[in-house]
Amino acid sequence: MEHLLFKILFICFMDDFVYAYTLTNEQNLHTALLSGYNKDLRPGTDRTYPLQVNASFYLFSIKEFDLDTGKLTITGVFQVNWYDERLSWDLTTYNQTNSTSIPQQKLWLPDLINVNPYENIRGLGSDLIKVIVFYTGLCDWYALQAFEVICDADVTDFPFDTQYCTLKFFIWGYQPNEVNVNFISSGIILTLYTENGIWEIADSITHTQSNLYGYKEIVVGLHLKRRTAYYVVSLVLPITTIAGLMGFVFLVPHDSGERLGFSITVLLSIVVYLTIVQDMLPEASEPNISILGYILVSYVLSGAFVVVLVIISLRIQNCPSDKPVPQSIVQLVRCCRRRGKKKDTVEPINEKSGPVDDEESDEHVTWYEVGKWFDFVCFISLIIQLTLTCVTYFSIVLS
């Protein structure tokens, strides 16, 4: 017990001893370090070896991603550290002062320039940021900044799309054999990240690559996946439900007088809904237009085609009874009769007239019956077309 108490007192004493330096000690340290210091020369006593610079990227938030303009705005911080032997000192000389903060404009910095900016080319950091310098010469620089970069979006699978965006940086003014940058981690560090309501980070990557001229580029990559719940509920399901009503117009009795009005109402509903959701759809045409845009256009064309079919159906069912039905249509109706008739149906036998001939009973075909079979075929065709459209769309965007 006494031994443990001694250890605690010794640690507390050493802690007070380490941080016992005064303002005068730190002021003298700054004077000594910056006297004759040339920030235009890179660190490194032996110039035959490149300066090793280690980097990490912490993402704070995704502020904005405009698919129409290709503008991605994120907030993050680069942690960059390197050794500058000119900034090392002896602890005993300055009363155990083990670290100090120096404004970044007074020290040499690796000039990381963003080479894919949305507007202005700018480097990391600002005059408000300081560099933490340790007595070993280790410089630790936290460059906090809002980055605006160009990200060419592919909206083909909207709203089930994923995007890959990169931040590219280049150390300006140095040859590849003078400064070498390495990432400590293989991905973006998300310990300080605040979730975005529209995009989620599916994956991330940080690495260096050589460009066409042999210079190293520092790349921070983000795989962004859209959160689809809102778009499915407010966009995909409603428009699909409205489109599904188009086929049911052929189940409305033709003598009710509501068929044409029902079909036009469904068509107008699709057109009105299309104008409402137009702001949600991105306007980008490169590399491809959104498949959902083609789906909406196909629904509008189908609605217009349904109106034409309803008019044709009404014309068929209101044809004069004395007008003969063309033989080709008679044959089609007879074929539909045979397919619709159950195989196990037993026909009654008339004792006086003998067995009923199926062919004789099927000879008479009216325009009213032609219209009924026409409605049936249109209904089945539209339901199949809508089902195939939905299955094809989801199989493409979710594959």
Side-chain angles (χ1 to χ4, degrees):
M1 185 66 181
E2 293 179 356
H3 182 67
L4 180 60
L5 181 60
F6 175 77
K7 279 188 173 181
I8 295 174
L9 292 175
F10 177 76
I11 293 174
C12 294
F13 173 77
M14 289 300 296
D15 186 69
D16 292 339
F17 181 73
V18 169
Y19 295 101
Y21 64 89
T22 63
L23 175 61
T24 303
N25 299 137
E26 192 168 10
Q27 183 175 351
N28 293 335
L29 175 62
H30 277 227
T31 302
L33 293 178
L34 299 178
S35 178
Y37 182 86
N38 189 349
K39 66 177 183 179
D40 295 328
L41 297 177
R42 72 170 178 89
T45 303
D46 190 349
R47 313 303 269 186
T48 59
Y49 293 95
L51 175 67
Q52 297 298 323
V53 177
N54 298 319
S56 299
F57 185 76
Y58 293 81
L59 181 63
F60 288 168
S61 63
I62 300 175
K63 183 179 178 183
E64 180 188 6
F65 189 11
D66 191 340
L67 298 181
D68 296 331
T69 60
K71 177 183 178 182
L72 173 66
T73 304
I74 65 174
T75 304
V77 58
F78 263 102
Q79 180 188 5
V80 186
N81 58 63
W82 65 93
Y83 280 94
D84 191 339
E85 67 282 351
R86 296 170 295 178
L87 300 176
S88 60
W89 66 88
D90 186 5
L91 288 175
T92 58
T93 305
Y94 299 98
N95 197 14
Q96 302 299 318
T97 305
N98 61 353
S99 65
T100 186
S101 297
I102 303 176
Q104 71 168 44
Q105 66 269 21
K106 295 183 179 181
L107 301 179
W108 178 90
L109 299 174
D111 295 328
L112 293 172
I113 306 298
N114 185 8
V115 294
N116 65 330
Y118 182 75
E119 290 183 351
N120 300 324
I121 297 178
R122 55 182 301 187
L124 286 183
S126 67
D127 294 341
L128 301 176
I129 298 177
K130 295 185 177 182
V131 179
I132 302 174
V133 182
F134 296 90
Y135 71 97
T136 57
L138 175 64
C139 299
D140 211 356
W141 181 35
Y142 293 86
L144 173 64
Q145 194 167 309
F147 302 93
E148 294 182 353
V149 296
I150 296 175
C151 181
D152 296 327
D154 184 1
V155 298
T156 305
D157 298 334
F158 177 88
F160 302 94
D161 54 326
T162 57
Q163 307 294 339
Y164 178 66
C165 300
T166 59
L167 287 77
K168 294 183 179 180
F169 296 86
F170 175 73
I171 297 183
W172 197 261
Y174 294 97
Q175 299 295 325
N177 60 348
E178 292 181 316
V179 178
N180 185 33
V181 180
N182 296 307
F183 275 101
I184 299 176
S185 61
S186 58
I188 295 174
I189 302 174
L190 302 175
T191 54
L192 304 175
Y193 175 67
T194 302
E195 291 290 341
N196 184 267
I198 300 177
W199 300 95
E200 63 175 315
I201 299 177
D203 195 9
S204 65
I205 186 173
T206 54
H207 67 283
T208 58
Q209 64 183 18
S210 298
N211 58 17
L212 296 176
Y213 304 99
Y215 290 92
K216 268 193 174 182
E217 289 182 346
I218 298 127
V219 180
V220 177
L222 281 170
H223 291 273
L224 301 178
K225 183 179 180 181
R226 188 186 298 274
R227 302 183 189 273
T228 59
Y230 169 77
Y231 298 95
V232 170
V233 173
S234 63
L235 178 60
V236 178
L237 289 181
I239 198 66
T240 303
T241 304
I242 295 175
L245 295 176
M246 291 187 299
F248 288 89
V249 68
F250 294 102
L251 299 183
V252 179
H254 77 282
D255 53 358
S256 65
E258 299 294 335
R259 274 193 170 190
L260 190 58
F262 180 80
S263 60
I264 294 178
T265 301
V266 173
L267 175 59
L268 292 178
S269 299
I270 296 175
V271 173
V272 171
Y273 200 86
L274 178 61
T275 59
I276 293 175
V277 302
Q278 213 167 19
D279 293 336
M280 298 184 184
L281 294 176
E283 299 176 0
S285 300
E286 181 67 27
N288 292 303
I289 299 176
S290 173
I291 298 177
L292 185 60
Y294 290 112
I295 297 297
L296 294 176
V297 172
S298 69
Y299 286 162
V300 174
L301 295 178
S302 297
F305 188 59
V306 166
V307 174
V308 175
L309 292 178
V310 168
I311 295 174
I312 295 175
S313 175
L314 293 176
R315 294 277 298 176
I316 290 175
Q317 295 189 6
N318 287 279
C319 280
S321 58
D322 56 347
K323 182 179 179 180
V325 181
Q327 191 62 30
S328 59
I329 298 179
V330 170
Q331 295 298 329
L332 288 176
V333 172
R334 288 177 178 176
C335 181
C336 292
R337 281 179 181 176
R338 296 190 189 99
R339 291 182 178 275
K341 187 180 297 184
K342 295 182 179 179
K343 294 181 180 180
D344 57 349
T345 302
V346 179
E347 297 291 342
I349 300 177
N350 192 331
E351 296 180 356
K352 296 182 178 180
S353 59
V356 178
D357 190 355
D358 290 341
E359 294 183 0
E360 292 180 359
S361 64
D362 288 344
E363 286 181 359
H364 185 64
V365 175
T366 63
W367 283 109
Y368 180 80
E369 187 177 4
V370 172
K372 288 179 61 178
W373 284 108
F374 179 81
D375 292 343
F376 177 76
V377 172
C378 290
F379 172 74
I380 297 299
S381 300
L382 284 172
I383 295 300
I384 293 175
Q385 183 258 337
L386 177 63
T387 303
L388 290 178
T389 301
C390 293
V391 171
T392 303
Y393 171 68
F394 284 106
S395 62
I396 292 176
V397 299
L398 296 180
S399 61

